[in-house]
Protein backbone atom coordinates (compact mmCIF):
# COMPACT_ATOMS: atom_id res chain seq x y z
CA UNK A 1 0.00 0.00 0.00
CA UNK A 2 1.61 3.21 -1.15
CA UNK A 3 -1.37 5.60 -0.99
CA UNK A 4 -0.32 8.89 0.55
CA UNK A 5 -2.30 9.93 3.59
CA UNK A 6 -3.98 13.32 3.82
CA UNK A 7 -1.51 14.05 6.63
CA UNK A 8 1.47 13.54 4.33
CA UNK A 9 -0.19 15.20 1.34
CA UNK A 10 -0.63 18.50 3.18
CA UNK A 11 2.86 18.72 4.62
CA UNK A 12 2.77 16.51 7.71
CA UNK A 13 3.68 17.62 11.22
CA UNK A 14 4.71 21.15 10.26
CA UNK A 15 1.31 21.96 8.71
CA UNK A 16 -0.62 20.61 11.71
CA UNK A 17 1.67 22.47 14.09
CA UNK A 18 1.06 25.75 12.27
CA UNK A 19 -2.68 25.16 11.94
CA UNK A 20 -3.27 24.42 15.61
CA UNK A 21 -0.87 27.14 16.81
CA UNK A 22 -2.81 29.73 14.79
CA UNK A 23 -6.10 28.33 16.10
CA UNK A 24 -5.05 28.69 19.76
CA UNK A 25 -3.61 32.15 19.09
CA UNK A 26 -7.17 33.08 18.05
CA UNK A 27 -8.79 31.22 20.98
CA UNK A 28 -6.58 33.20 23.38
CA UNK A 29 -8.18 36.45 22.21
CA UNK A 30 -11.74 35.17 21.73
CA UNK A 31 -14.06 36.34 24.47
CA UNK A 32 -16.56 33.48 23.92
CA UNK A 33 -13.99 30.66 23.86
CA UNK A 34 -11.19 31.73 26.19
CA UNK A 35 -13.26 31.40 29.40
CA UNK A 36 -14.17 27.79 28.49
CA UNK A 37 -10.59 26.58 28.67
CA UNK A 38 -9.95 25.44 32.24
CA UNK A 39 -6.18 25.71 32.21
CA UNK A 40 -4.39 29.06 32.25
CA UNK A 41 -1.76 27.68 29.87
CA UNK A 42 -3.31 26.80 26.50
CA UNK A 43 -0.17 24.83 25.53
CA UNK A 44 -1.40 21.40 26.71
CA UNK A 45 -4.79 21.88 25.00
CA UNK A 46 -2.96 22.91 21.82
CA UNK A 47 -0.92 19.72 21.96
CA UNK A 48 -4.00 17.50 22.44
CA UNK A 49 -5.88 19.01 19.50
CA UNK A 50 -2.77 18.78 17.30
CA UNK A 51 -2.21 15.11 18.16
CA UNK A 52 -5.90 14.34 17.58
CA UNK A 53 -6.00 16.00 14.16
CA UNK A 54 -2.72 14.39 13.08
CA UNK A 55 -4.10 10.98 13.99
CA UNK A 56 -7.49 11.59 12.38
CA UNK A 57 -5.83 12.49 9.05
CA UNK A 58 -3.51 9.48 8.96
CA UNK A 59 -0.46 10.74 10.85
CA UNK A 60 1.15 9.42 14.04
CA UNK A 61 -1.19 7.75 16.55
CA UNK A 62 0.29 9.57 19.55
CA UNK A 63 -3.11 10.90 20.58
CA UNK A 64 -4.58 7.46 21.30
CA UNK A 65 -1.31 6.23 22.83
CA UNK A 66 -1.57 9.03 25.38
CA UNK A 67 -5.31 9.65 25.70
CA UNK A 68 -7.02 6.43 24.64
CA UNK A 69 -10.18 6.46 22.50
CA UNK A 70 -11.00 10.08 21.55
CA UNK A 71 -14.69 9.98 22.63
CA UNK A 72 -14.89 13.65 21.74
CA UNK A 73 -18.56 14.10 22.54
CA UNK A 74 -18.04 12.79 26.05
CA UNK A 75 -14.88 14.83 26.57
CA UNK A 76 -16.72 18.02 25.60
CA UNK A 77 -19.65 17.46 27.97
CA UNK A 78 -18.03 19.52 30.77
CA UNK A 79 -18.20 22.55 28.46
CA UNK A 80 -21.42 24.21 27.43
CA UNK A 81 -21.33 24.22 23.62
CA UNK A 82 -24.24 25.92 21.87
CA UNK A 83 -24.36 27.53 18.41
CA UNK A 84 -22.46 30.61 19.64
CA UNK A 85 -19.54 28.53 20.94
CA UNK A 86 -19.62 26.38 17.78
CA UNK A 87 -19.49 29.47 15.60
CA UNK A 88 -16.64 30.97 17.63
CA UNK A 89 -14.65 27.73 17.37
CA UNK A 90 -15.18 27.55 13.61
CA UNK A 91 -14.31 31.23 13.19
CA UNK A 92 -10.93 30.65 14.88
CA UNK A 93 -10.38 27.48 12.86
CA UNK A 94 -11.22 29.14 9.53
CA UNK A 95 -8.70 31.90 10.27
CA UNK A 96 -6.08 29.24 11.02
CA UNK A 97 -6.86 27.22 7.86
CA UNK A 98 -6.71 30.39 5.74
CA UNK A 99 -3.10 30.96 6.89
CA UNK A 100 -1.91 27.71 5.29
CA UNK A 101 -0.74 28.57 1.77
CA UNK A 102 -2.42 27.03 -1.32
CA UNK A 103 0.94 25.46 -2.26
CA UNK A 104 0.71 23.45 0.97
CA UNK A 105 -3.05 22.95 1.18
CA UNK A 106 -4.70 22.78 -2.24
CA UNK A 107 -8.39 23.47 -2.85
CA UNK A 108 -9.48 19.85 -2.61
CA UNK A 109 -7.68 19.16 0.67
CA UNK A 110 -8.78 22.54 2.04
CA UNK A 111 -12.42 21.74 1.25
CA UNK A 112 -12.14 18.30 2.87
CA UNK A 113 -10.55 19.79 6.00
CA UNK A 114 -13.11 22.57 6.36
CA UNK A 115 -16.04 20.19 5.74
CA UNK A 116 -14.72 17.84 8.41
CA UNK A 117 -14.17 20.61 10.96
CA UNK A 118 -17.68 21.94 10.39
CA UNK A 119 -19.24 18.49 10.73
CA UNK A 120 -17.20 17.74 13.86
CA UNK A 121 -18.06 21.09 15.48
CA UNK A 122 -21.77 20.53 14.80
CA UNK A 123 -21.56 17.07 16.34
CA UNK A 124 -20.21 18.49 19.62
CA UNK A 125 -23.09 20.87 20.29
CA UNK A 126 -24.57 19.89 23.65
CA UNK A 127 -26.73 22.92 24.50
CA UNK A 128 -29.69 24.38 22.57
CA UNK A 129 -28.60 28.05 22.59
C1 LIG B 1 -10.72 19.74 24.17
C2 LIG B 1 -13.87 23.32 23.44
C3 LIG B 1 -14.84 21.58 19.05
C4 LIG B 1 -11.21 18.44 19.56
C5 LIG B 1 -11.50 20.86 24.34
C6 LIG B 1 -11.52 21.67 25.53
C7 LIG B 1 -12.41 22.67 25.33
C8 LIG B 1 -12.94 22.50 24.01
C9 LIG B 1 -12.78 23.78 26.28
C10 LIG B 1 -10.68 21.43 26.80
C11 LIG B 1 -9.26 21.81 26.54
C12 LIG B 1 -8.33 20.66 26.81
O1 LIG B 1 -8.08 20.43 27.98
O2 LIG B 1 -7.86 20.01 25.87
C13 LIG B 1 -14.44 23.13 22.19
C14 LIG B 1 -15.53 23.93 21.66
C15 LIG B 1 -15.82 23.43 20.43
C16 LIG B 1 -14.90 22.32 20.19
C17 LIG B 1 -16.21 25.12 22.33
C18 LIG B 1 -16.90 23.94 19.50
C19 LIG B 1 -17.69 23.15 18.81
C20 LIG B 1 -13.90 20.61 18.78
C21 LIG B 1 -13.76 19.90 17.53
C22 LIG B 1 -12.76 19.02 17.68
C23 LIG B 1 -12.24 19.17 19.02
C24 LIG B 1 -14.65 20.14 16.31
C25 LIG B 1 -12.18 18.02 16.70
C26 LIG B 1 -12.22 18.16 15.41
C27 LIG B 1 -10.80 18.49 20.86
C28 LIG B 1 -9.81 17.59 21.44
C29 LIG B 1 -9.69 17.95 22.78
C30 LIG B 1 -10.60 19.08 22.99
C31 LIG B 1 -9.08 16.47 20.71
C32 LIG B 1 -8.81 17.27 23.82
C33 LIG B 1 -9.56 16.03 24.34
C34 LIG B 1 -8.74 15.27 25.36
O3 LIG B 1 -7.93 14.42 24.96
O4 LIG B 1 -8.89 15.52 26.54
N1 LIG B 1 -12.37 21.39 23.44
N2 LIG B 1 -14.10 22.18 21.29
N3 LIG B 1 -12.96 20.14 19.66
N4 LIG B 1 -11.24 19.35 21.82
FE1 LIG B 1 -12.67 20.74 21.57
Amino acid sequence: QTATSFYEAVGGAETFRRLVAAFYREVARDEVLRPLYPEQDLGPAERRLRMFLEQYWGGPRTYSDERGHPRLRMRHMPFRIGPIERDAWLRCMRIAVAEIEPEVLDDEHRRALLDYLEMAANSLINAPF
Side-chain angles (χ1 to χ4, degrees):
Q1 243 256 200
T2 54
T4 302
S5 64
F6 181 103
Y7 172 81
E8 292 173 82
V10 303
E14 176 65 2
T15 298
F16 285 83
R17 187 194 61 72
R18 290 176 57 208
L19 177 71
V20 178
F23 172 75
Y24 274 102
R25 183 199 68 220
E26 294 302 313
V27 168
R29 45 186 227 98
D30 188 290
E31 57 187 28
V32 172
L33 293 179
R34 187 61 188 88
L36 288 182
Y37 286 80
E39 290 173 297
Q40 187 49 41
D41 177 8
L42 289 174
E46 177 175 334
R47 181 158 185 277
R48 287 188 280 270
L49 180 59
R50 177 165 45 76
M51 290 190 302
F52 173 80
L53 291 174
E54 289 186 329
Q55 172 169 315
Y56 178 85
W57 292 104
R61 302 199 48 85
T62 323
Y63 178 87
S64 282
D65 291 346
E66 289 190 15
R67 307 287 293 161
H69 191 286
R71 288 179 298 183
L72 285 190
R73 217 178 131 73
M74 187 204 75
R75 293 201 209 256
H76 285 79
M77 282 304 175
F79 316 111
R80 188 195 175 287
I81 304 179
I84 291 172
E85 290 77 16
R86 185 261 332 258
D87 289 349
W89 194 96
L90 284 171
R91 183 168 69 243
C92 293
M93 207 33 117
R94 288 191 185 107
I95 291 171
V97 171
E99 289 179 19
I100 308 297
E101 303 81 357
E103 296 75 27
V104 175
L105 189 64
D106 67 24
D107 283 354
E108 195 182 325
H109 288 90
R110 188 177 302 271
R111 194 65 258 162
L113 179 58
L114 288 168
D115 283 352
Y116 165 74
L117 293 168
E118 195 170 315
M119 178 281 294
N122 279 318
S123 80
L124 295 178
I125 287 183
N126 57 24
F129 57 86

